[in-house]
């Protein structure tokens, strides 16, 4: 018989015994918001960045944005995270090219309304590389509003080389809607039961094409085709009188898809819409710009000795890059553009793409979660006391917080 006093029980340190609680990590994109805790592998929730029918990033005045953010963040803390805002530090993953108004209003809501202890703003293109453990890469973020490219060399974003174009998910959804209004058909599916059914144009009843339906069709039905097929589609759509190319496209097009929209109503989505909606990402516009060209322009704008390393570390993030066929098409477009006279001076023949340990739509959040689990969240955060004393948020675009500028002013 052994007394219980002689048994030395092991001591386990649970989360409740840790002095510094895990920080809350927010990545508030134009379409979705990712929210969770630092040190975790995936966000606790991914939800639309809107309150009711109003999108957060569409508010252009602080008076309108402030109450929207109060309601939205209340939902995050008390429905999904279930913690007291005062007990946790906050890490906000932001786009360096994002709105200053949104950033300052978000800081005001967190500090004055929810009284968080500190907030740390981190650039999304930089922290994406934290999930890979590398310090150099060419980060392409294709989200809902726009596609942005920022080269990062040895942990320093090369801001002089950034590129951006409004070629992203929203543009694809607008193309899908335009195609459906032009060629989409609505049927009741009665032909399956042997009854007569005359399809009618969806353009006669555009109320079927709600924002939610268009977004769902873009996600479920559309894909990126190869470069040769894409150019055939573009030529056929731009010149309907050319019956030869149009017949060739229709012969080998993707199969028709039926999409239920209301009760027995079925929306018929043809193969041209499914394949051709994403072609606007790759078609050179009047300024010879496309998703592939802004990558090469970013490399050209970077120092010569950095270019090869950047090309060997391409990282794709953002929800639109998850479209089937996106990576293969991007590789084909890059090789095609490199053969053009404009990019002869690049002197790069191959590109290598990183595969992050997460889905591309929350890679930036994961990088922020890793960054927020380090000591930096304690040493570099903007504390509530500092903010209340001087209610401004440090920003790279503000000369006040530029160290070189301050040194020159102080002599």
């Amino acid at each position: 018989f052994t007394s219980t006093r002689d048994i030395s029980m092991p001591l386990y340190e649970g989360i409740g015994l840790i002095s510094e609680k895990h920080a809350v990590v927010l990545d508030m994109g134009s379409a979705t918001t990712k929210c969770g805790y630092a040190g975790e592998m995936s966000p606790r929730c991914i939800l639309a960045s809107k309150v009711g029918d109003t999108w957060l990033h569409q508010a252009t005045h602080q008076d309108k944005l402030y109450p929207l953010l109060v309601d939205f963040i209340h939902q995050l803390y008390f429905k999904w995270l279930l913690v007291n805002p005062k007990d946790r530090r906050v890490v906000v993953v932001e786009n360096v090219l994002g709105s200053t108004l949104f950033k300052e209003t978000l800081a005001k809501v967190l500090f004055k309304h929810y009284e968080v202890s500190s907030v740390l703003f981190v650039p999304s293109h930089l922290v994406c590389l934290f999930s890979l453990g590398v310090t150099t890469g060419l980060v392409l973020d294709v989200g809902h509003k726009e596609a942005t490219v920022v080269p990062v060399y040895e942990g320093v974003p090369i801001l002089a080389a950034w590129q951006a174009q409004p070629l992203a998910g929203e543009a694809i959804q607008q193309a899908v809607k335009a195609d459906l209004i032009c060629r989409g058909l609505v049927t009741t599916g009665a032909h399956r039961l042997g009854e007569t059914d005359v399809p009618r144009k969806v353009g006669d009843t555009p109320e079927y094409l709600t924002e939610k339906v268009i977004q769902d069709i873009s996600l479920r039905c559309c894909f990126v085709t190869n470069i040769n097929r894409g150019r055939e589609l573009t030529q056929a759509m731009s010149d309907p009188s050319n019956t030869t190319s149009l017949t060739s496209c229709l012969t080998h097009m993707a199969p028709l898809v039926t999409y239920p929209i209301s009760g027995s109503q079925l929306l018929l989505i043809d193969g041209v819409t499914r394949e051709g909606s994403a072609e606007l990402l790759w078609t050179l516009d009047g300024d010879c710009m496309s998703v592939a060209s802004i990558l090469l322009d970013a490399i050209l704008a970077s120092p010569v000795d950095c270019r090869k390393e950047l090309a060997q570390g391409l990282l794709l993030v953002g929800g639109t890059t998850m479209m089937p066929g996106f990576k293969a098409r991007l590789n084909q477009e890059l090789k095609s553009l490199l053969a053009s006279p404009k990019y002869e001076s690049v002197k790069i023949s191959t590109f290598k793409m990183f595969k992050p340990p997460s889905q591309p739509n929350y890679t930036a959040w994961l990088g922020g979660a890793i960054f927020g689990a380090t000591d930096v969240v304690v040493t570099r955060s903007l504390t509530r006391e500092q903010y209340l004393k001087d209610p401004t948020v440090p920003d790279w675009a503000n000369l006040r917080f530029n160290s070189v500028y301050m040194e020159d002013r102080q002599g």
Side-chain angles (χ1 to χ4, degrees):
F1 177 77
T2 306
S3 172
T4 55
R5 295 181 180 178
D6 299 332
I7 300 177
S8 57
M9 299 296 291
L11 176 63
Y12 293 99
E13 292 187 354
I15 293 179
L17 298 177
I18 299 176
S19 58
E20 185 68 31
K21 296 180 179 179
H22 293 284
V24 171
V25 183
L26 302 177
D27 181 6
M28 305 180 74
S30 56
T32 60
T33 292
K34 283 71 69 176
C35 181
Y37 292 110
E40 295 188 348
M41 284 297 295
S42 61
R44 293 293 181 97
C45 66
I46 300 178
L47 66 162
S49 301
K50 62 180 181 179
V51 177
D53 294 328
T54 306
W55 294 92
L56 297 179
H57 288 268
Q58 288 182 350
T60 55
H61 297 283
Q62 191 177 66
D63 295 340
K64 295 181 179 179
L65 181 59
Y66 188 91
L68 289 176
L69 283 174
V70 168
D71 294 342
F72 186 74
I73 293 175
H74 184 275
Q75 180 186 3
L76 293 180
Y77 272 107
F78 299 104
K79 181 178 179 181
W80 299 102
L81 297 177
L82 303 176
V83 293
N84 186 351
K86 297 180 182 180
D87 296 340
R88 306 277 178 156
R89 297 179 182 271
V90 178
V91 177
V92 179
V93 181
E94 59 152 357
N95 191 325
V96 291
L97 308 176
S99 166
T100 303
L101 171 69
F102 188 87
K103 179 178 180 178
E104 292 178 348
T105 309
L106 178 60
K108 184 177 180 181
V109 169
L110 290 172
F111 281 126
K112 293 195 172 182
H113 190 90
Y114 290 100
E115 299 180 356
V116 299
S117 58
S118 70
V119 176
L120 175 63
F121 289 92
V122 295
S124 60
H125 291 80
L126 175 61
V127 295
C128 284
L129 298 176
F130 272 74
S131 62
L132 296 162
V134 297
T135 56
T136 300
L138 185 61
V139 184
L140 169 64
D141 184 355
V142 189
H144 179 69
K145 286 283 186 183
E146 61 183 358
T148 57
V149 180
V150 177
V152 179
Y153 189 78
E154 294 298 332
V156 179
I158 307 176
L159 294 177
W162 69 268
Q163 302 288 328
Q165 283 291 309
L167 302 171
E170 187 178 45
I172 294 175
Q173 290 174 24
Q174 290 174 355
V176 169
K177 186 174 183 179
D179 275 5
L180 290 176
I181 290 175
C182 180
R183 298 190 308 275
L185 298 174
V186 177
T187 180
T188 59
H191 64 280
R192 298 179 180 178
L193 303 177
E195 302 175 7
T196 57
D197 181 22
V198 180
R200 62 186 188 278
K201 286 190 173 183
V202 73
D204 299 334
T205 53
E207 61 271 10
Y208 286 144
L209 300 179
T210 63
E211 183 182 30
K212 186 176 181 180
V213 168
I214 294 297
Q215 182 180 14
D216 199 42
I217 290 173
S218 303
L219 293 174
R220 294 175 182 269
C221 304
C222 297
F223 61 94
V224 180
T225 187
N226 63 61
I227 187 170
N228 295 327
R229 174 74 174 162
R231 288 175 178 174
E232 285 182 10
L233 281 169
T234 304
Q235 184 178 359
M237 298 305 294
S238 60
D239 186 15
S241 60
N242 190 347
T243 56
T244 304
S245 60
L246 187 60
T247 304
S248 175
C249 287
L250 295 176
T251 304
H252 306 285
M253 70 177 182
L256 188 78
V257 169
T258 57
Y259 182 88
I261 48 177
S262 176
S264 61
Q265 304 293 323
L266 298 175
L267 177 61
L268 303 181
I269 307 168
D270 62 19
V272 176
T273 301
R274 296 181 62 201
E275 284 186 274
S277 299
E279 285 307 304
L280 55 89
L281 300 180
W282 318 105
T283 305
L284 295 175
D285 59 12
D287 297 324
C288 294
M289 302 293 283
S290 68
V291 170
S293 71
I294 61 175
L295 277 170
L296 296 179
D297 290 340
I299 291 176
L300 277 176
S302 302
V304 177
D305 56 339
C306 303
R307 295 177 183 177
K308 188 174 182 181
E309 287 186 65
L310 292 174
Q312 299 299 309
L314 182 58
L315 177 61
L316 307 183
V317 298
T320 305
T321 63
M322 298 172 67
M323 288 187 74
F326 186 94
K327 292 181 181 179
R329 179 64 180 275
L330 177 61
N331 196 28
Q332 292 173 344
E333 291 286 344
L334 288 172
K335 289 182 178 179
S336 175
L337 287 173
L338 284 173
S340 64
K342 180 180 178 181
Y343 298 106
E344 283 181 351
S345 60
V346 177
K347 305 297 182 184
I348 293 173
S349 57
T350 59
F351 287 84
K352 292 183 180 179
M353 297 184 187
F354 284 121
K355 184 178 181 181
S358 64
Q359 295 294 335
N361 62 330
Y362 67 87
T363 301
W365 180 93
L366 178 60
I370 295 172
F371 196 73
T374 64
D375 293 339
V376 177
V377 76
V378 179
T379 58
R380 295 196 178 184
S381 294
L382 175 66
T383 64
R384 184 167 181 266
E385 290 75 18
Q386 290 174 327
Y387 182 83
L388 294 178
K389 184 178 179 181
D390 182 12
T392 55
V393 182
D395 193 350
W396 68 272
N398 191 337
L399 283 177
R400 178 182 173 185
F401 302 101
N402 189 315
S403 58
V404 177
Y405 174 81
M406 292 298 290
E407 289 173 2
D408 291 343
R409 288 293 297 271
Q410 294 172 2

